[in-house]
Amino acid sequence: MRTLIGRWQTWAGFGVAALVLFVIAPAVLSDFRLSLLGKFLCFAIVAVGIGLAWGRGGMLVLGQGVFFGLGGYMMAMHLKIADAQLAGDAVPDFMQIQGVRELPGYWAPFASPVVTLIAIVVVPAGIAAALGFGVFKRRVKGAYFAILSQALAAALAILLVGQTGLGGSNGLNRFRTFFGFTLSDPVNRRMLYFIAAAVLLIVVAVVRQLMQSRYGELLVAVRDGEERVRFLGYDPANIKVVAYTVAALFASIAGALFAPIVGFIAPSQVGILPSIAFLIGVAIGGRTTLLGPVLGAIGVAWAQTLFSERFPSEWTYAQGLLFIIVVGFFPAGLAGLAVLLKRRRKATDEPEADKTADPDAEKVGAGS
């Protein structure tokens, strides 16, 4: 009975989310605000993967900007090639300014939309799996793993800045089409939002299935007692690699959607600060829950857009302070705080129920 009720609650939750994302938001928000929400949904997709790896697996992933950037740059490369072909040029516009007359070899595969989509899935997942095996097999964890992942994000950002063939510090921008659809058309921009919303719901459904499966139980067991899991005959490294790879895949997909929705991808979206920003949203929302990372990522991104315009320098300090407060005093985030308040309310209700039940019990005892 409880299982049936739980399933109905899950389907009801997805139904409400679909209603909000696909009906209410497009009806209420302007085209600009809807596109802005699509950008926030990309961050939420990254947050779902972080919630799986960090919240359930205990891996403090400080380098998700690496995989976000890989997906974004691969999509951007295809979009720039498509725009150049549409204009009858051999190379994208920024390469023409640089005097380049032939498309570089590492750009050529991304002329194909099929190859691009496959690369967005395979390349980041393969890198994450290889890196995960190399790190987790050597039992690197905790702060050492966090520092390593952050160093990778910094290295990629520095590498991209020095690559003039990828736009340098300006990145890739001014996309005109998306797989044949004109991006200047408001209808097509709404289509991009709907794609991001659908991907977010799919990602949440996949992670929910993983959390409720036997693998999800093993992942939590590895987080709470890695040596015990190893004693039971499981390899914790393999369990961690799966979660880390899934989180990287989600980040890559989010980056690939981010590029056409926002209109550019640059090293500033790849380095340390974006990776920490992803983590802050997950921590505030509640990393151990399913919807906490989603709501936290959207809330932090919205607050950043709202307050950074008025207080550009102060917002960074406020963001860091908020992260310290949440991790230090509310490690379960706002979702965990709500659960804690609910438990305390239940605990206070139980003694009152016992008091009202005692007189009846005494009467029954006296009558017997």
Side-chain angles (χ1 to χ4, degrees), residues 35-358:
S35 180
L36 195 62
L37 179 58
K39 170 185 172 182
F40 298 162
L41 295 183
C42 294
F43 297 155
I45 295 171
V46 182
V48 174
I50 295 176
L52 177 67
W54 183 31
R56 292 283 171 160
M59 294 170 281
L60 186 58
V61 285
L62 286 174
Q64 291 305 94
V66 172
F67 307 109
F68 184 83
L70 285 174
Y73 266 91
M74 285 188 287
M75 176 60 75
M77 291 167 71
H78 169 72
L79 298 181
K80 294 300 290 184
I81 293 175
D83 291 346
Q85 292 176 346
L86 187 64
D89 298 325
V91 296
D93 48 6
F94 73 95
M95 290 186 183
Q96 297 176 27
I97 298 175
Q98 297 172 359
V100 179
R101 295 293 177 263
E102 185 178 354
L103 198 65
Y106 64 93
W107 274 73
F110 297 100
S112 169
V114 176
V115 173
T116 301
L117 293 177
I118 293 175
I120 289 170
V121 174
V122 173
V123 173
I127 293 174
L131 179 63
F133 273 112
V135 171
F136 298 132
K137 287 291 186 180
R138 289 173 173 79
R139 303 187 183 183
V140 177
K141 57 183 178 180
Y144 299 102
F145 172 75
I147 293 172
L148 177 61
S149 61
Q150 193 174 54
L152 289 174
L156 180 62
I158 295 172
L159 177 64
L160 291 174
V161 169
Q163 295 294 320
T164 57
L166 292 173
S169 59
N170 295 324
L172 303 177
N173 49 46
R174 293 186 298 177
F175 311 125
R176 295 194 295 268
T177 61
F178 176 76
F179 293 95
F181 296 94
T182 305
L183 290 176
S184 59
D185 190 344
V187 175
N188 294 334
R189 298 198 63 82
R190 283 185 167 239
M191 176 193 68
L192 281 173
Y193 163 79
F194 288 131
I195 293 175
V199 170
L200 176 60
L201 292 180
I202 294 172
V203 163
V204 171
V206 170
V207 172
R208 179 186 177 276
Q209 187 63 32
L210 287 175
M211 286 181 175
Q212 293 190 342
S213 65
R214 182 173 179 80
Y215 169 78
E217 296 176 354
L218 285 173
L219 187 62
V220 174
V222 169
R223 179 196 65 189
D224 297 337
E226 185 171 327
E227 295 302 323
R228 293 182 180 180
V229 174
R230 184 176 287 107
F231 179 76
L232 293 174
Y234 296 97
D235 189 349
N238 295 336
I239 299 172
K240 287 183 176 182
V241 166
V242 173
Y244 186 56
T245 303
V246 170
L249 173 60
F250 291 168
S252 176
I253 294 174
L257 291 172
F258 176 88
I261 288 176
V262 178
F264 73 97
I265 186 72
S268 58
Q269 277 84 44
V270 175
I272 295 176
L273 290 180
S275 298
I276 295 177
F278 292 147
L279 212 67
I280 291 174
V282 176
I284 292 174
R287 64 179 185 267
T288 59
T289 61
L290 181 61
L291 295 181
V294 174
L295 299 178
I298 295 176
V300 169
W302 174 81
Q304 182 177 5
T305 302
L306 181 64
F307 293 110
S308 61
E309 296 176 355
R310 301 180 181 179
F311 314 101
S313 58
E314 290 82 358
W315 167 249
T316 303
Y317 296 105
Q319 196 176 30
L321 179 62
L322 187 62
F323 179 68
I324 293 173
I325 292 174
V326 170
V327 173
F329 299 96
F330 307 103
L334 296 179
L337 184 61
V339 173
L340 181 61
L341 293 175
K342 184 177 179 180
R343 289 179 179 176
R344 288 185 176 180
R345 184 180 300 175
K346 184 178 180 181
T348 54
D349 292 340
E350 287 179 354
E352 294 179 357
D354 294 339
K355 291 179 181 179
T356 57
D358 286 341

